[in-house]
Amino acid sequence: MSIWDRLGEFITRVSSSATSGVADVVEAVRTVFSGDADLRRRVAFSVAMIALSAKMAKADGIVTQDEVRAFQEIFEVPPKETRNVARLFDLAQKDVAGFETYAERMAQLCGSGHSNCVMLEDILDGLFHIAKADGLVHEREGIFLHRIAEIFRIDEAHYESILARHVNLGAGDPYVVLGIERGKPFEEVKKRYRKLVSDNHPDRLIARGLPQEFIKIATTRVAAINAAYEMIERGLRHV
């Protein structure tokens, strides 16, 4: 049985209650999948991505077709499960609980409890991918994403590195993407680059609970890291 079958069963169960909100959703993930920690992580990640995408759409005030397509790039949902994903999306949008409440509860559900948790970074990366789909990250989306990062305990320097993968920050952009100071020896740049590529290999993401269906997040992240390194390498070659 695929994760989407299990997620579909879960959403049907949760959305059958008229009082379902973030507290009910989080508690249901904990109890329904209490006997399988790996599956619980995968379902929790999926629920967090869908729910926070819904909250971001509500904060921005409009959902564009580009954003829908970006959502579908990350969520390769089988046609038979599309309705269930839409039900969870609608449930989160209509829930009176604010996005900060959702982010706090999802961080407790998915996170490691430490700052710069990699799984929470995966969620933030996915939200950025959706937000920038129409060509730019709008001001409200930027405020939303920055606040999510604060709740996720992603420090400012790390957030700037994530932001730089998605938004052009100017001349310093490639160095920010790699999280290394301009002027460092090229060997240090190369060492940092190789570590980032290793840490963000799709297999690593799957190992920490990212469902197979969300590899788009990993491939776009590695592509940004590669592009930043190549830009630095070309610049240093001409010095």
Side-chain angles (χ1 to χ4, degrees):
M1 183 178 289
S2 75
I3 187 174
W4 289 112
D5 293 321
R6 299 303 303 273
L7 188 60
E9 292 177 359
F10 166 76
I11 293 170
T12 298
R13 173 173 173 169
V14 172
S15 59
S16 64
S17 170
T19 60
S20 288
V22 61
D24 300 312
V25 171
V26 169
E27 187 56 33
V29 171
R30 285 201 180 104
T31 56
V32 173
F33 303 103
S34 60
D36 189 332
D38 180 62
L39 181 59
R40 185 173 66 249
R41 283 195 302 272
R42 294 172 190 273
V43 170
F45 176 89
S46 306
V47 169
M49 275 297 308
I50 296 167
L52 290 174
S53 295
K55 287 299 186 184
M56 183 168 67
K58 187 174 182 179
D60 185 45
I62 186 171
V63 181
T64 69
Q65 285 303 306
D66 289 326
E67 289 170 338
V68 171
R69 280 191 290 272
F71 184 89
Q72 292 170 340
E73 284 178 358
I74 298 174
F75 290 86
E76 297 178 7
V77 185
K80 67 176 183 175
E81 296 298 340
T82 301
R83 184 180 176 188
N84 279 324
V85 172
R87 288 169 73 180
L88 181 56
F89 191 93
D90 290 342
L91 187 154
Q93 271 203 322
K94 293 173 182 176
D95 189 357
V96 295
F99 78 87
E100 292 178 327
T101 301
Y102 263 76
E104 288 164 1
R105 298 302 293 270
M106 293 306 168
Q108 294 169 12
L109 191 65
C110 304
S112 63
H114 304 294
S115 60
N116 298 330
C117 170
V118 287
M119 182 172 276
L120 297 181
E121 180 182 346
D122 294 335
I123 294 171
L124 189 62
D125 242 353
L127 293 173
F128 261 111
H129 181 74
I130 294 166
K132 71 177 183 181
D134 56 357
L136 71 159
V137 176
H138 297 278
E139 183 179 1
R140 288 184 182 178
E141 292 171 327
I143 293 170
F144 174 94
L145 292 164
H146 190 264
R147 181 61 185 135
I148 293 292
E150 289 177 339
I151 295 169
F152 281 0
R153 296 179 61 198
I154 293 173
D155 65 44
E156 193 63 25
H158 200 62
Y159 175 76
E160 287 294 322
S161 179
I162 297 168
L163 175 66
R165 292 201 290 261
H166 300 280
V167 179
N168 188 347
L169 299 181
D173 184 33
Y175 290 90
V176 177
V177 171
L178 298 188
I180 193 167
E181 293 178 20
R182 181 183 290 274
K184 288 287 185 180
F186 183 62
E187 284 305 312
E188 286 191 33
V189 174
K190 185 187 292 186
K191 183 178 179 180
R192 173 66 177 167
Y193 162 72
R194 287 176 172 170
K195 183 177 188 307
L196 287 173
V197 170
S198 174
D199 289 347
N200 291 287
H201 189 280
D203 288 347
R204 288 285 186 94
L205 273 72
I206 293 170
R208 64 177 176 250
L210 192 73
Q212 178 74 38
E213 290 85 353
F214 305 119
I215 292 306
K216 179 71 176 179
I217 293 174
T219 55
T220 55
R221 183 184 297 173
V222 171
I225 291 167
N226 285 335
Y229 176 73
E230 289 168 7
M231 191 178 299
I232 293 172
E233 188 179 35
R234 283 199 303 271
L236 293 176
R237 198 180 293 148
H238 291 93
V239 172

